[in-house]
Amino acid sequence: TYTFIISDESVNADGFVIQTKGIRTERFKKDPVMPTGRWDSIRTEGSQLIADAVFDENNPLGKEVKERVDGGFLRSASIGLSVLNYERIDGVDTVTDCELTEGSIVDIP
């Protein structure tokens, strides 16, 4: 199993926070595709959104990404989302309600 934290409540590279409890996953769970396979067991554990990656090894890119994960060269994931509401909380822009639209394994989270 390849388990990834696909989101947490830390300040991200764009300078804002995504509240995990505000991430709507229902629609995404119906078709949890990533460019190199799919996501299984999408779940919340504390302040983290976690999912298990299943690689499409019949796809050359899926096979390559799996090999890079196995080798320890890729260890991060990133999500795409549609923001429905955000607020400034404790001086930080915070997404409080959003729809998960995409998840990918990336070299820079």
Side-chain angles (χ1 to χ4, degrees):
T1 302
Y2 299 90
T3 301
F4 286 84
I5 299 169
I6 59 174
S7 184
D8 61 22
E9 295 185 350
S10 61
V11 177
N12 65 24
D14 293 318
F16 63 91
V17 169
I18 303 167
Q19 284 185 341
T20 302
K21 68 181 178 184
I23 302 173
R24 299 180 190 193
T25 60
E26 298 81 14
R27 186 180 302 170
F28 184 74
K29 285 180 178 179
K30 292 178 183 176
D31 190 24
V33 176
M34 66 174 160
T36 56
R38 72 172 187 274
W39 294 105
D40 279 350
S41 301
I42 301 163
R43 61 207 181 271
T44 299
E45 293 181 11
S47 64
Q48 299 175 329
L49 184 62
I50 298 173
D52 298 333
V54 178
F55 297 101
D56 179 0
E57 294 187 70
N58 293 316
N59 175 320
L61 182 58
K63 185 176 180 180
E64 177 186 342
V65 170
K66 179 183 181 289
E67 289 171 355
R68 292 184 70 201
V69 169
D70 284 340
F73 297 102
L74 288 175
R75 300 186 307 248
S76 302
S78 181
I79 61 171
L81 48 89
S82 176
V83 175
L84 303 171
N85 189 59
Y86 70 92
E87 302 172 22
R88 192 149 181 89
I89 299 174
D90 296 328
V92 178
D93 289 331
T94 304
V95 175
T96 58
D97 190 13
C98 63
E99 181 85 32
L100 179 61
T101 58
E102 184 268 333
S104 295
I105 295 172
V106 296
D107 51 354
I108 300 172

